[in-house]
Amino acid sequence: IVDMGAYEAEASSLVVEKIQFKRAGINEQVKFVVRNDGTQSAVGAKLTSATLGGVAANQKMPLDLGTIPAGGSVSVTLIFRVPAGTRSLAITGTSTLGTFMND
């Protein structure tokens, strides 16, 4: 990606990994890690949306993740009110390194 500024933009190096699901009553608890594989800090990292089976997380978005240093990570837990067995998870976010999402 090349932009019109003085510096070329670095493609996002933030990766969503280690996704775990846990049923807790009528809520589905989803835990995951956002890891920075890049060589620069991801400043102002935030989740912009999170859905499970098309249902938005109970947390207000955007959800601030702060600065994730190069080689660092942050753990996130989200709660969804969805039927049991729903596993279609979609996570998107942004930082100074660009946008990121789960695969």
Side-chain angles (χ1 to χ4, degrees):
I1 299 172
V2 178
D3 63 20
M4 296 300 293
Y7 303 97
E8 291 186 10
E10 179 180 324
S12 181
S13 302
L14 296 180
V15 178
V16 178
E17 65 172 9
K18 298 182 182 177
I19 299 172
Q20 300 173 347
F21 297 89
K22 180 181 179 185
R23 192 80 182 150
I26 61 171
N27 295 318
E28 186 83 23
Q29 186 180 74
V30 179
K31 294 182 180 184
F32 57 93
V33 173
V34 178
R35 186 182 76 240
N36 184 352
D37 283 346
T39 59
Q40 298 177 12
S41 290
V43 179
K46 63 184 127 224
L47 296 182
T48 54
S49 69
T51 60
L52 182 61
V55 177
N58 288 355
Q59 290 78 1
K60 184 178 176 188
M61 296 292 163
L63 181 64
D64 184 24
L65 303 178
T67 297
I68 306 173
S73 63
V74 62
S75 296
V76 181
T77 300
L78 298 176
I79 305 295
F80 299 86
R81 293 183 78 108
V82 295
T86 302
R87 293 289 183 267
S88 174
L89 179 66
I91 298 168
T92 59
T94 63
S95 76
T96 54
L97 300 181
T99 60
F100 63 95
M101 63 190 68
N102 66 311
D103 289 330

